[in-house]
Amino acid sequence: MPPNRSKPNNLVQTIERVALIFDILGMAPNGISVGELSEKTGFPKGTSHRLLSSLAYFDYVRQDPVTKNYQLGFKLVELGNRLLGHLDFRAVARPFLIHLAERTKETVHMVILDRNEALYIDKVDSSEHRSGLRMVSMLGSRLPAHCSAVGKVLLAHLSDAAFDEVISHKGLAERTRNTITEVERLRAHLKKVFAQGYALDNEENEIGIRCVAAPIRNERGAVIAAISISVPALRSEKSKLETTLKDRVVETALNISRKLGYPQ
Amino acid sequence: MPPNRSKPNNLVQTIERVALIFDILGMAPNGISVGELSEKTGFPKGTSHRLLSSLAYFDYVRQDPVTKNYQLGFKLVELGNRLLGHLDFRAVARPFLIHLAERTKETVHMVILDRNEALYIDKVDSSEHRSGLRMVSMLGSRLPAHCSAVGKVLLAHLSDAAFDEVISHKGLAERTRNTITEVERLRAHLKKVFAQGYALDNEENEIGIRCVAAPIRNERGAVIAAISISVPALRSEKSKLETTLKDRVVETALNISRKLGYPQ
DNA sequence: GACAATATTTCGTAATGCGAAATGCTATTT
DNA sequence: AAATAGCATTTCGCATTACGAAATATTGTC
């Protein structure tokens, strides 16, 4: 899925090819051979090999010495985590998220808006169901903004122009029967979210999962992220979500915001 | 620091330049401008811009809309975590590591040998001192093998040829006064590590920190990773490290190995 | 030890990316 | 409001760079 940026007029071919290679390797847990890569990309084998071995030199990919297959390299882990480390609000928030997860015994997420989608930048499972597995595969993954509680919180604090851009690029895909798919209805809904300071997700993204989310603000009051609690629909009478859990998410979000310098 | 691979005869220039850009952006928490990048790299401004905007199109870097600075992009987080997700033994191990951290109230690491160094692939702080901050910046980072408990465990199970390769490429840098810096002494020490099934780090990498580590084995008995407990030297009489903590690390490592199919 | 299926290297060619210079944009100053 | 300065961004003719078909090396198999 090509991102929604304007395509640069002078897109460098090698970068385009490397991006394609990374995407393909990202879907191949055990790596792929030079031949397979050429098959999938249409590059001649020599070309595939030249690109892979150049990438391997810098540890962006690595070659299994026995199968000769190429897979993603650990330089990507280093860079990805360096980027996350640069998001200082994330470090500030983390202890609060852990506390929230332990107090509610539910899963907590932290999300930012990036390229018109909700992007997971942290996740804490309650100690009960900490698996770790999911967390890892989740960081850096994306969710439509219009059908998640976190996404709606972020949308609600956007300028009209920015909101329109999200809609025009991403639309309002129907993920479940509860998804809000009409722009005007969404606009009205977000007005309410803005006013009340939190958003609910009533199985709008995935049947069986409900969430409550609240905004994180920086020292200037700008909304820079959102946090949420996710609850299996079975375990959640809708009322509890809208009372206890809602209060705790809102409270935690405010505490994080204050720590970030948000006055009041 | 260029890796120790043989330089491919046909290194693609664009990939070389992109690697340099990523390294520079990785050290710039708030990103840098086109001009600054050109200054640091020597590329003409037009070239820097073309590379950055091509990378931005695929989300490998992103541009701050207000400062116009470029920083690392979230595609790197996605790929890095995808790679970690592919290491299935990591997912298997995680619950054990959490349990170990909570039981001992100390920090637990998981490490593999990659490119002749010990590479962090997981970290669990005990709930007491969970900060999260360090964890993030640590994943994907590296440590010399010869002066860490985890590294020595991994070295101890290498073939002679593989061991020699590590030494010849990385040497035995003296990190503290306790670091083992003579090959023959290290060789003898590793023989002991191999025999006893665990390794100690007696402030060999960093004054003030001691560790115990044990190997993780796969279904064929091959050592594929190592786990460790790290303890501030203040808090650790050396005896406790060599008794209780050692036993728990060894036990946990064996349990993980069994879960991975290691017979016995 | 020959064969087959790979990965890897070679090398002449032209397409691709290069980069100096022109242009466009934004913020600041007077 | 106009001028200026300091950027980012785009343009375009040129030569370097990467291309890729084919040759070769390597690895595993019968």
Side-chain angles (χ1 to χ4, degrees):
Chain A
M1 73 201 90
N4 51 39
R5 295 214 144 206
S6 62
K7 194 160 185 163
N9 34 6
N10 280 337
L11 195 54
V12 177
Q13 188 189 53
T14 300
I15 291 178
E16 196 171 12
R17 291 178 162 191
V18 166
L20 178 57
I21 290 175
F22 280 160
D23 282 343
I24 290 172
L25 293 183
M27 299 188 307
N30 299 308
I32 62 174
S33 66
V34 173
E36 283 170 304
L37 182 65
S38 284
E39 214 168 279
K40 284 178 200 275
T41 58
F43 307 156
K45 276 202 251 182
T47 300
S48 295
H49 181 265
R50 180 159 19 82
L51 292 170
L52 286 171
S53 62
S54 294
L55 288 169
Y57 179 64
F58 297 103
D59 202 17
Y60 287 99
V61 306
R62 73 210 137 97
Q63 187 177 33
D64 185 313
V66 31
T67 66
K68 299 282 178 188
N69 276 7
Y70 288 87
Q71 0 185 3
L72 295 177
F74 287 100
K75 189 81 191 188
L76 294 165
V77 178
E78 184 195 325
L79 289 172
N81 283 292
R82 206 164 270 202
L83 162 49
L84 289 180
H86 292 168
L87 302 175
D88 36 355
F89 61 89
R90 186 174 174 272
V92 170
R94 189 141 233 267
F96 291 90
L97 302 186
I98 290 171
H99 182 236
L100 180 61
E102 288 182 347
R103 203 165 151 218
T104 59
K105 308 279 182 229
E106 300 291 353
T107 300
V108 171
H109 289 116
M110 185 166 192
V111 160
I112 62 174
L113 194 67
D114 182 71
R115 302 187 148 232
N116 302 324
E117 292 180 301
L119 174 79
Y120 286 102
I121 61 169
D122 212 343
K123 165 167 173 169
V124 181
D125 280 319
S126 73
S127 30
E128 248 93 297
H129 1 87
R130 275 205 288 198
S131 77
L133 173 57
R134 270 197 230 138
M135 165 175 175
V136 152
S137 51
M138 194 142 232
L139 275 186
S141 70
R142 290 157 183 280
L143 206 60
H146 72 284
C147 58
S148 55
V150 275
K152 291 192 294 184
V153 164
L154 295 169
L155 288 180
H157 292 85
L158 246 37
S159 69
D160 286 352
F163 174 78
D164 290 343
E165 170 156 335
V166 175
I167 301 309
S168 70
H169 280 112
K170 293 289 165 181
L172 299 176
E174 177 167 354
R175 307 261 298 196
T176 75
R177 64 184 126 74
N178 290 350
T179 308
I180 300 175
T181 54
E182 302 92 47
V183 179
E184 285 318 315
R185 232 183 99 215
L186 181 61
R187 226 186 278 271
H189 180 85
L190 293 179
K191 209 165 257 177
K192 199 172 126 205
V193 168
F194 184 90
Q196 69 195 6
Y198 67 89
L200 294 173
D201 160 9
N202 183 31
E203 304 185 74
E204 294 161 41
N205 178 56
E206 193 179 336
I207 291 295
I209 297 187
R210 296 211 182 97
C211 310
V212 218
I216 306 290
R217 298 165 184 277
N218 67 8
E219 70 286 355
R220 292 187 304 280
V223 171
I224 55 175
I227 62 172
S228 72
I229 298 184
S230 306
V231 191
L234 293 171
R235 202 177 327 133
S236 68
E237 323 79 76
K238 209 162 157 255
S239 66
K240 190 185 171 197
L241 202 70
E242 291 182 47
T243 55
T244 326
L245 293 180
K246 180 264 283 180
D247 287 341
R248 291 194 173 156
V249 174
V250 169
E251 182 196 342
T252 304
L254 187 58
N255 285 338
I256 296 170
S257 300
R258 284 196 182 121
K259 193 95 174 192
L260 293 171
Y262 177 53
Q264 144 62 20
Chain B
M1 76 202 85
N4 52 39
R5 296 214 145 206
S6 61
K7 194 161 185 163
N9 34 6
N10 280 338
L11 194 54
V12 177
Q13 188 189 53
T14 300
I15 290 178
E16 196 171 13
R17 290 177 163 192
V18 166
L20 179 57
I21 290 175
F22 280 160
D23 281 343
I24 290 172
L25 292 184
M27 299 188 307
N30 299 308
I32 62 174
S33 66
V34 173
E36 284 170 303
L37 182 65
S38 284
E39 215 168 277
K40 284 177 200 275
T41 58
F43 307 157
K45 277 204 256 180
T47 299
S48 295
H49 181 266
R50 181 158 19 83
L51 292 170
L52 285 172
S53 61
S54 294
L55 288 169
Y57 179 63
F58 297 103
D59 202 18
Y60 287 99
V61 306
R62 73 209 136 101
Q63 187 176 32
D64 185 313
V66 29
T67 67
K68 300 279 177 189
N69 276 6
Y70 288 87
Q71 351 185 10
L72 295 178
F74 287 99
K75 189 81 190 187
L76 294 165
V77 178
E78 183 195 326
L79 289 173
N81 283 293
R82 204 165 271 202
L83 162 51
L84 289 180
H86 291 169
L87 301 175
D88 37 353
F89 61 88
R90 186 173 174 272
V92 170
R94 190 141 231 268
F96 292 91
L97 302 186
I98 290 171
H99 182 236
L100 181 61
E102 289 182 346
R103 201 163 154 221
T104 59
K105 308 278 182 229
E106 300 291 353
T107 300
V108 172
H109 289 117
M110 185 165 190
V111 160
I112 62 173
L113 194 67
D114 181 71
R115 300 185 150 235
N116 302 324
E117 293 181 300
L119 174 79
Y120 287 102
I121 61 168
D122 212 343
K123 165 168 173 169
V124 181
D125 281 319
S126 74
S127 29
E128 249 92 300
H129 2 87
R130 276 206 287 198
S131 77
L133 174 57
R134 270 196 231 139
M135 165 177 174
V136 152
S137 50
M138 195 142 229
L139 275 187
S141 70
R142 288 158 183 280
L143 205 62
H146 72 285
C147 59
S148 55
V150 274
K152 291 191 294 184
V153 164
L154 295 169
L155 288 180
H157 291 86
L158 245 39
S159 70
D160 286 353
F163 173 79
D164 290 342
E165 170 157 336
V166 174
I167 301 309
S168 70
H169 280 113
K170 293 290 164 181
L172 298 175
E174 177 165 355
R175 307 261 299 197
T176 75
R177 63 183 126 74
N178 291 350
T179 308
I180 300 174
T181 55
E182 302 93 47
V183 179
E184 285 318 316
R185 232 184 98 214
L186 181 60
R187 224 185 279 272
H189 180 85
L190 294 180
K191 208 165 257 178
K192 201 174 125 203
V193 168
F194 183 90
Q196 70 195 6
Y198 66 89
L200 294 173
D201 161 9
N202 183 33
E203 304 183 73
E204 293 161 41
N205 178 55
E206 192 179 337
I207 291 295
I209 297 188
R210 295 211 182 96
C211 309
V212 219
I216 306 290
R217 297 166 185 276
N218 67 8
E219 70 286 354
R220 292 187 303 280
V223 171
I224 55 175
I227 62 171
S228 72
I229 298 184
S230 305
V231 191
L234 294 171
R235 202 179 327 136
S236 66
E237 324 79 76
K238 207 162 155 259
S239 65
K240 189 187 171 195
L241 201 70
E242 292 182 47
T243 55
T244 326
L245 293 180
K246 180 264 283 180
D247 287 341
R248 292 197 172 153
V249 174
V250 170
E251 183 196 341
T252 303
L254 187 57
N255 286 338
I256 295 171
S257 301
R258 284 195 183 123
K259 193 97 174 188
L260 292 171
Y262 177 54
Q264 142 64 22

PDB file of all heavy atoms in Angstrom, chain B residues 142-157:
ATOM      1  N   ARG B 142      24.480  -3.311  21.137  1.00  0.00           N
ATOM      2  CA  ARG B 142      25.480  -4.368  21.130  1.00  0.00           C
ATOM      3  C   ARG B 142      26.489  -4.237  22.251  1.00  0.00           C
ATOM      4  O   ARG B 142      26.664  -3.163  22.810  1.00  0.00           O
ATOM      5  CB  ARG B 142      26.212  -4.333  19.783  1.00  0.00           C
ATOM      6  CG  ARG B 142      25.352  -4.816  18.657  1.00  0.00           C
ATOM      7  CD  ARG B 142      25.828  -4.303  17.320  1.00  0.00           C
ATOM      8  NE  ARG B 142      24.919  -4.738  16.280  1.00  0.00           N
ATOM      9  CZ  ARG B 142      24.942  -5.952  15.752  1.00  0.00           C
ATOM     10  NH1 ARG B 142      25.853  -6.824  16.129  1.00  0.00           N
ATOM     11  NH2 ARG B 142      24.063  -6.301  14.839  1.00  0.00           N
ATOM     12  N   LEU B 143      27.161  -5.330  22.522  1.00  0.00           N
ATOM     13  CA  LEU B 143      28.084  -5.432  23.631  1.00  0.00           C
ATOM     14  C   LEU B 143      29.213  -6.347  23.169  1.00  0.00           C
ATOM     15  O   LEU B 143      28.971  -7.315  22.476  1.00  0.00           O
ATOM     16  CB  LEU B 143      27.325  -6.098  24.764  1.00  0.00           C
ATOM     17  CG  LEU B 143      27.723  -5.875  26.194  1.00  0.00           C
ATOM     18  CD1 LEU B 143      27.585  -4.407  26.540  1.00  0.00           C
ATOM     19  CD2 LEU B 143      26.828  -6.702  27.094  1.00  0.00           C
ATOM     20  N   PRO B 144      30.451  -6.071  23.565  1.00  0.00           N
ATOM     21  CA  PRO B 144      31.513  -7.016  23.216  1.00  0.00           C
ATOM     22  C   PRO B 144      31.222  -8.365  23.878  1.00  0.00           C
ATOM     23  O   PRO B 144      30.774  -8.403  25.024  1.00  0.00           O
ATOM     24  CB  PRO B 144      32.775  -6.388  23.815  1.00  0.00           C
ATOM     25  CG  PRO B 144      32.437  -4.977  24.123  1.00  0.00           C
ATOM     26  CD  PRO B 144      30.965  -4.931  24.348  1.00  0.00           C
ATOM     27  N   ALA B 145      31.493  -9.439  23.170  1.00  0.00           N
ATOM     28  CA  ALA B 145      31.168 -10.755  23.707  1.00  0.00           C
ATOM     29  C   ALA B 145      32.107 -11.172  24.842  1.00  0.00           C
ATOM     30  O   ALA B 145      31.693 -11.821  25.794  1.00  0.00           O
ATOM     31  CB  ALA B 145      31.203 -11.799  22.594  1.00  0.00           C
ATOM     32  N   HIS B 146      33.365 -10.766  24.771  1.00  0.00           N
ATOM     33  CA  HIS B 146      34.363 -11.341  25.677  1.00  0.00           C
ATOM     34  C   HIS B 146      34.269 -10.823  27.099  1.00  0.00           C
ATOM     35  O   HIS B 146      34.869 -11.395  28.000  1.00  0.00           O
ATOM     36  CB  HIS B 146      35.773 -11.061  25.140  1.00  0.00           C
ATOM     37  CG  HIS B 146      36.177  -9.621  25.271  1.00  0.00           C
ATOM     38  ND1 HIS B 146      35.684  -8.644  24.453  1.00  0.00           N
ATOM     39  CD2 HIS B 146      37.016  -8.991  26.129  1.00  0.00           C
ATOM     40  CE1 HIS B 146      36.205  -7.478  24.779  1.00  0.00           C
ATOM     41  NE2 HIS B 146      37.020  -7.657  25.808  1.00  0.00           N
ATOM     42  N   CYS B 147      33.524  -9.746  27.327  1.00  0.00           N
ATOM     43  CA  CYS B 147      33.513  -9.168  28.666  1.00  0.00           C
ATOM     44  C   CYS B 147      32.105  -9.079  29.239  1.00  0.00           C
ATOM     45  O   CYS B 147      31.841  -8.271  30.123  1.00  0.00           O
ATOM     46  CB  CYS B 147      34.183  -7.804  28.661  1.00  0.00           C
ATOM     47  SG  CYS B 147      33.412  -6.639  27.552  1.00  0.00           S
ATOM     48  N   SER B 148      31.188  -9.887  28.707  1.00  0.00           N
ATOM     49  CA  SER B 148      29.848  -9.930  29.292  1.00  0.00           C
ATOM     50  C   SER B 148      29.522 -11.385  29.591  1.00  0.00           C
ATOM     51  O   SER B 148      30.018 -12.288  28.907  1.00  0.00           O
ATOM     52  CB  SER B 148      28.826  -9.343  28.321  1.00  0.00           C
ATOM     53  OG  SER B 148      28.882  -9.989  27.072  1.00  0.00           O
ATOM     54  N   ALA B 149      28.692 -11.606  30.595  1.00  0.00           N
ATOM     55  CA  ALA B 149      28.342 -12.985  30.955  1.00  0.00           C
ATOM     56  C   ALA B 149      27.639 -13.665  29.791  1.00  0.00           C
ATOM     57  O   ALA B 149      27.992 -14.791  29.405  1.00  0.00           O
ATOM     58  CB  ALA B 149      27.459 -12.984  32.205  1.00  0.00           C
ATOM     59  N   VAL B 150      26.657 -12.986  29.224  1.00  0.00           N
ATOM     60  CA  VAL B 150      25.942 -13.551  28.077  1.00  0.00           C
ATOM     61  C   VAL B 150      26.891 -13.838  26.924  1.00  0.00           C
ATOM     62  O   VAL B 150      26.840 -14.902  26.301  1.00  0.00           O
ATOM     63  CB  VAL B 150      24.822 -12.600  27.592  1.00  0.00           C
ATOM     64  CG1 VAL B 150      23.544 -12.841  28.371  1.00  0.00           C
ATOM     65  CG2 VAL B 150      25.252 -11.146  27.675  1.00  0.00           C
ATOM     66  N   GLY B 151      27.768 -12.887  26.643  1.00  0.00           N
ATOM     67  CA  GLY B 151      28.710 -13.057  25.538  1.00  0.00           C
ATOM     68  C   GLY B 151      29.606 -14.263  25.768  1.00  0.00           C
ATOM     69  O   GLY B 151      29.837 -15.060  24.853  1.00  0.00           O
ATOM     70  N   LYS B 152      30.074 -14.420  26.992  1.00  0.00           N
ATOM     71  CA  LYS B 152      30.983 -15.531  27.265  1.00  0.00           C
ATOM     72  C   LYS B 152      30.267 -16.870  27.147  1.00  0.00           C
ATOM     73  O   LYS B 152      30.852 -17.854  26.666  1.00  0.00           O
ATOM     74  CB  LYS B 152      31.620 -15.353  28.646  1.00  0.00           C
ATOM     75  CG  LYS B 152      32.596 -14.170  28.676  1.00  0.00           C
ATOM     76  CD  LYS B 152      33.448 -14.133  29.940  1.00  0.00           C
ATOM     77  CE  LYS B 152      32.631 -13.869  31.180  1.00  0.00           C
ATOM     78  NZ  LYS B 152      33.481 -13.732  32.383  1.00  0.00           N
ATOM     79  N   VAL B 153      29.010 -16.919  27.552  1.00  0.00           N
ATOM     80  CA  VAL B 153      28.248 -18.155  27.363  1.00  0.00           C
ATOM     81  C   VAL B 153      28.178 -18.507  25.879  1.00  0.00           C
ATOM     82  O   VAL B 153      28.402 -19.663  25.487  1.00  0.00           O
ATOM     83  CB  VAL B 153      26.815 -18.013  27.930  1.00  0.00           C
ATOM     84  CG1 VAL B 153      25.918 -19.111  27.398  1.00  0.00           C
ATOM     85  CG2 VAL B 153      26.843 -18.038  29.445  1.00  0.00           C
ATOM     86  N   LEU B 154      27.880 -17.513  25.067  1.00  0.00           N
ATOM     87  CA  LEU B 154      27.754 -17.773  23.634  1.00  0.00           C
ATOM     88  C   LEU B 154      29.103 -18.170  23.032  1.00  0.00           C
ATOM     89  O   LEU B 154      29.186 -19.106  22.230  1.00  0.00           O
ATOM     90  CB  LEU B 154      27.185 -16.538  22.926  1.00  0.00           C
ATOM     91  CG  LEU B 154      25.751 -16.182  23.343  1.00  0.00           C
ATOM     92  CD1 LEU B 154      25.346 -14.808  22.812  1.00  0.00           C
ATOM     93  CD2 LEU B 154      24.772 -17.247  22.850  1.00  0.00           C
ATOM     94  N   LEU B 155      30.148 -17.484  23.428  1.00  0.00           N
ATOM     95  CA  LEU B 155      31.487 -17.819  22.921  1.00  0.00           C
ATOM     96  C   LEU B 155      31.886 -19.237  23.306  1.00  0.00           C
ATOM     97  O   LEU B 155      32.509 -19.954  22.523  1.00  0.00           O
ATOM     98  CB  LEU B 155      32.520 -16.844  23.484  1.00  0.00           C
ATOM     99  CG  LEU B 155      32.511 -15.417  22.950  1.00  0.00           C
ATOM    100  CD1 LEU B 155      33.605 -14.594  23.615  1.00  0.00           C
ATOM    101  CD2 LEU B 155      32.696 -15.399  21.431  1.00  0.00           C
ATOM    102  N   ALA B 156      31.513 -19.617  24.540  1.00  0.00           N
ATOM    103  CA  ALA B 156      31.940 -20.920  25.044  1.00  0.00           C
ATOM    104  C   ALA B 156      31.399 -22.074  24.204  1.00  0.00           C
ATOM    105  O   ALA B 156      31.959 -23.171  24.207  1.00  0.00           O
ATOM    106  CB  ALA B 156      31.516 -21.087  26.499  1.00  0.00           C
ATOM    107  N   HIS B 157      30.305 -21.830  23.495  1.00  0.00           N
ATOM    108  CA  HIS B 157      29.690 -22.904  22.720  1.00  0.00           C
ATOM    109  C   HIS B 157      29.963 -22.782  21.223  1.00  0.00           C
ATOM    110  O   HIS B 157      29.318 -23.432  20.409  1.00  0.00           O
ATOM    111  CB  HIS B 157      28.184 -22.949  22.988  1.00  0.00           C
ATOM    112  CG  HIS B 157      27.860 -23.403  24.369  1.00  0.00           C
ATOM    113  ND1 HIS B 157      27.814 -22.536  25.439  1.00  0.00           N
ATOM    114  CD2 HIS B 157      27.596 -24.635  24.878  1.00  0.00           C
ATOM    115  CE1 HIS B 157      27.515 -23.214  26.542  1.00  0.00           C
ATOM    116  NE2 HIS B 157      27.384 -24.481  26.232  1.00  0.00           N
TER     117      HIS B 157
END
